[in-house]
Amino acid sequence: MALTSLRTPSFYARRAGRAGRAGVLASAVALAALTSLVNAPAAQASPPAPISAAAARSYLATVTPAAEGSLSGYSRAQFPHWSTVSGTCNTRETVLKRDGVNVVTDSACASVSGSWYSEYDGATWTAASDVDIDHMVPLAEAWRSGASSWTTDRRQQFANDLTRPQLIAVTDNVNQAKGDLDPGKWLPPRTAYRCTYARMWVQVKQYWGLSMDSGEKTALVNLLNGC
């Protein structure tokens, strides 16, 4: 997918930096308590934690690479999304609220304010329209890796998986640049996130029983060996 011009982010910030405010307290006990409170929202504003690098390496050691399948018959409609999660909130809106900070939604569950830090490129956005929900393992990649033989119900579960680190809010243009590419062809431009990205990718493929081609596996092994 073509990469459109990147807009200038509203501001750049690391959520973890908020913990520094706790330094104003003299008491060590009070400091620890405040740090816990400050860190809690940041820990929630992200996908589920992926498996460890060691666990990912162990799994990759068992993987026999397989050639990618055909895209014949593929369409995004084969992976129904976004599913209703609760009330008027669907999966996209749920991830926007989960991954954002101080997110306010209207009666239709649409995000009307808040901020979203994109782990892929380090940009922070204050408009939900600037954010895409990325499928860690893209739908087309899943189709070529075994999902073509799944039932529509299973593909729907995959496309709306909130339990594994399969969905993440990121800068829309960066997500479009990724397209349906695997880690052998694309990695997040923010290098500090690449180890986490690899762990997430491996966990999703492992859980859903999806195959890996040789270039994909080699890239993951090389990346994880440095984590």
Side-chain angles (χ1 to χ4, degrees), residues 184-196:
K185 304 177 181 72
W186 187 92
L187 289 169
R190 180 171 162 256
T191 57
Y193 197 66
R194 290 181 177 179
C195 281
T196 301

PDB file of all heavy atoms in Angstrom, residues 184-196:
ATOM      1  N   GLY A 184      10.280 -10.155   7.701  1.00  0.00           N
ATOM      2  CA  GLY A 184      11.387 -10.273   6.766  1.00  0.00           C
ATOM      3  C   GLY A 184      11.416  -9.130   5.765  1.00  0.00           C
ATOM      4  O   GLY A 184      12.436  -8.897   5.106  1.00  0.00           O
ATOM      5  N   LYS A 185      10.289  -8.397   5.671  1.00  0.00           N
ATOM      6  CA  LYS A 185      10.169  -7.317   4.690  1.00  0.00           C
ATOM      7  C   LYS A 185       9.867  -5.964   5.328  1.00  0.00           C
ATOM      8  O   LYS A 185      10.049  -4.921   4.673  1.00  0.00           O
ATOM      9  CB  LYS A 185       9.068  -7.663   3.686  1.00  0.00           C
ATOM     10  CG  LYS A 185       9.262  -8.991   2.964  1.00  0.00           C
ATOM     11  CD  LYS A 185       8.085  -9.274   2.043  1.00  0.00           C
ATOM     12  CE  LYS A 185       8.233 -10.614   1.318  1.00  0.00           C
ATOM     13  NZ  LYS A 185       8.033 -11.749   2.239  1.00  0.00           N
ATOM     14  N   TRP A 186       9.417  -5.963   6.574  1.00  0.00           N
ATOM     15  CA  TRP A 186       9.079  -4.693   7.233  1.00  0.00           C
ATOM     16  C   TRP A 186       9.200  -4.855   8.742  1.00  0.00           C
ATOM     17  O   TRP A 186       8.795  -5.864   9.312  1.00  0.00           O
ATOM     18  CB  TRP A 186       7.644  -4.269   6.907  1.00  0.00           C
ATOM     19  CG  TRP A 186       7.286  -2.895   7.407  1.00  0.00           C
ATOM     20  CD1 TRP A 186       7.386  -1.720   6.728  1.00  0.00           C
ATOM     21  CD2 TRP A 186       6.755  -2.550   8.711  1.00  0.00           C
ATOM     22  NE1 TRP A 186       6.971  -0.662   7.512  1.00  0.00           N
ATOM     23  CE2 TRP A 186       6.580  -1.134   8.735  1.00  0.00           C
ATOM     24  CE3 TRP A 186       6.423  -3.289   9.841  1.00  0.00           C
ATOM     25  CZ2 TRP A 186       6.088  -0.452   9.849  1.00  0.00           C
ATOM     26  CZ3 TRP A 186       5.935  -2.612  10.963  1.00  0.00           C
ATOM     27  CH2 TRP A 186       5.771  -1.217  10.957  1.00  0.00           C
ATOM     28  N   LEU A 187       9.778  -3.822   9.381  1.00  0.00           N
ATOM     29  CA  LEU A 187       9.841  -3.730  10.830  1.00  0.00           C
ATOM     30  C   LEU A 187       9.510  -2.302  11.228  1.00  0.00           C
ATOM     31  O   LEU A 187       9.692  -1.366  10.437  1.00  0.00           O
ATOM     32  CB  LEU A 187      11.231  -4.106  11.356  1.00  0.00           C
ATOM     33  CG  LEU A 187      11.616  -5.578  11.266  1.00  0.00           C
ATOM     34  CD1 LEU A 187      13.108  -5.757  11.560  1.00  0.00           C
ATOM     35  CD2 LEU A 187      10.779  -6.417  12.232  1.00  0.00           C
ATOM     36  N   PRO A 188       9.043  -2.070  12.450  1.00  0.00           N
ATOM     37  CA  PRO A 188       8.739  -0.707  12.880  1.00  0.00           C
ATOM     38  C   PRO A 188       9.954   0.195  12.733  1.00  0.00           C
ATOM     39  O   PRO A 188      11.077  -0.210  13.059  1.00  0.00           O
ATOM     40  CB  PRO A 188       8.353  -0.886  14.360  1.00  0.00           C
ATOM     41  CG  PRO A 188       7.905  -2.302  14.477  1.00  0.00           C
ATOM     42  CD  PRO A 188       8.762  -3.066  13.510  1.00  0.00           C
ATOM     43  N   PRO A 189       9.770   1.417  12.242  1.00  0.00           N
ATOM     44  CA  PRO A 189      10.905   2.341  12.117  1.00  0.00           C
ATOM     45  C   PRO A 189      11.540   2.685  13.459  1.00  0.00           C
ATOM     46  O   PRO A 189      12.737   3.000  13.505  1.00  0.00           O
ATOM     47  CB  PRO A 189      10.285   3.575  11.452  1.00  0.00           C
ATOM     48  CG  PRO A 189       8.811   3.445  11.648  1.00  0.00           C
ATOM     49  CD  PRO A 189       8.527   1.989  11.698  1.00  0.00           C
ATOM     50  N   ARG A 190      10.798   2.597  14.532  1.00  0.00           N
ATOM     51  CA  ARG A 190      11.364   2.843  15.865  1.00  0.00           C
ATOM     52  C   ARG A 190      12.051   1.564  16.332  1.00  0.00           C
ATOM     53  O   ARG A 190      11.422   0.604  16.765  1.00  0.00           O
ATOM     54  CB  ARG A 190      10.255   3.263  16.840  1.00  0.00           C
ATOM     55  CG  ARG A 190      10.745   3.530  18.247  1.00  0.00           C
ATOM     56  CD  ARG A 190       9.658   4.149  19.122  1.00  0.00           C
ATOM     57  NE  ARG A 190      10.025   3.983  20.520  1.00  0.00           N
ATOM     58  CZ  ARG A 190       9.486   3.085  21.347  1.00  0.00           C
ATOM     59  NH1 ARG A 190       8.505   2.297  20.936  1.00  0.00           N
ATOM     60  NH2 ARG A 190       9.899   2.982  22.590  1.00  0.00           N
ATOM     61  N   THR A 191      13.372   1.545  16.238  1.00  0.00           N
ATOM     62  CA  THR A 191      14.134   0.324  16.499  1.00  0.00           C
ATOM     63  C   THR A 191      13.974  -0.187  17.925  1.00  0.00           C
ATOM     64  O   THR A 191      14.076  -1.396  18.160  1.00  0.00           O
ATOM     65  CB  THR A 191      15.627   0.550  16.203  1.00  0.00           C
ATOM     66  OG1 THR A 191      16.105   1.643  17.000  1.00  0.00           O
ATOM     67  CG2 THR A 191      15.843   0.856  14.733  1.00  0.00           C
ATOM     68  N   ALA A 192      13.708   0.702  18.881  1.00  0.00           N
ATOM     69  CA  ALA A 192      13.569   0.282  20.277  1.00  0.00           C
ATOM     70  C   ALA A 192      12.384  -0.656  20.484  1.00  0.00           C
ATOM     71  O   ALA A 192      12.319  -1.356  21.493  1.00  0.00           O
ATOM     72  CB  ALA A 192      13.417   1.506  21.185  1.00  0.00           C
ATOM     73  N   TYR A 193      11.454  -0.679  19.522  1.00  0.00           N
ATOM     74  CA  TYR A 193      10.262  -1.518  19.685  1.00  0.00           C
ATOM     75  C   TYR A 193      10.366  -2.837  18.924  1.00  0.00           C
ATOM     76  O   TYR A 193       9.482  -3.677  19.021  1.00  0.00           O
ATOM     77  CB  TYR A 193       9.014  -0.747  19.209  1.00  0.00           C
ATOM     78  CG  TYR A 193       7.711  -1.335  19.708  1.00  0.00           C
ATOM     79  CD1 TYR A 193       7.390  -1.326  21.063  1.00  0.00           C
ATOM     80  CD2 TYR A 193       6.793  -1.903  18.820  1.00  0.00           C
ATOM     81  CE1 TYR A 193       6.201  -1.869  21.524  1.00  0.00           C
ATOM     82  CE2 TYR A 193       5.595  -2.445  19.273  1.00  0.00           C
ATOM     83  CZ  TYR A 193       5.310  -2.422  20.629  1.00  0.00           C
ATOM     84  OH  TYR A 193       4.127  -2.959  21.090  1.00  0.00           O
ATOM     85  N   ARG A 194      11.436  -3.026  18.200  1.00  0.00           N
ATOM     86  CA  ARG A 194      11.490  -4.192  17.314  1.00  0.00           C
ATOM     87  C   ARG A 194      11.533  -5.526  18.048  1.00  0.00           C
ATOM     88  O   ARG A 194      10.956  -6.511  17.580  1.00  0.00           O
ATOM     89  CB  ARG A 194      12.679  -4.056  16.358  1.00  0.00           C
ATOM     90  CG  ARG A 194      12.451  -2.964  15.329  1.00  0.00           C
ATOM     91  CD  ARG A 194      13.597  -2.825  14.342  1.00  0.00           C
ATOM     92  NE  ARG A 194      13.297  -1.810  13.333  1.00  0.00           N
ATOM     93  CZ  ARG A 194      14.118  -1.458  12.367  1.00  0.00           C
ATOM     94  NH1 ARG A 194      15.313  -2.052  12.261  1.00  0.00           N
ATOM     95  NH2 ARG A 194      13.770  -0.533  11.491  1.00  0.00           N
ATOM     96  N   CYS A 195      12.210  -5.581  19.193  1.00  0.00           N
ATOM     97  CA  CYS A 195      12.221  -6.835  19.957  1.00  0.00           C
ATOM     98  C   CYS A 195      10.812  -7.187  20.423  1.00  0.00           C
ATOM     99  O   CYS A 195      10.378  -8.345  20.330  1.00  0.00           O
ATOM    100  CB  CYS A 195      13.162  -6.716  21.158  1.00  0.00           C
ATOM    101  SG  CYS A 195      14.912  -6.921  20.734  1.00  0.00           S
ATOM    102  N   THR A 196      10.095  -6.189  20.930  1.00  0.00           N
ATOM    103  CA  THR A 196       8.719  -6.417  21.372  1.00  0.00           C
ATOM    104  C   THR A 196       7.854  -6.836  20.191  1.00  0.00           C
ATOM    105  O   THR A 196       7.027  -7.758  20.299  1.00  0.00           O
ATOM    106  CB  THR A 196       8.149  -5.148  22.015  1.00  0.00           C
ATOM    107  OG1 THR A 196       8.962  -4.782  23.127  1.00  0.00           O
ATOM    108  CG2 THR A 196       6.713  -5.371  22.497  1.00  0.00           C
TER     109      THR A 196
END
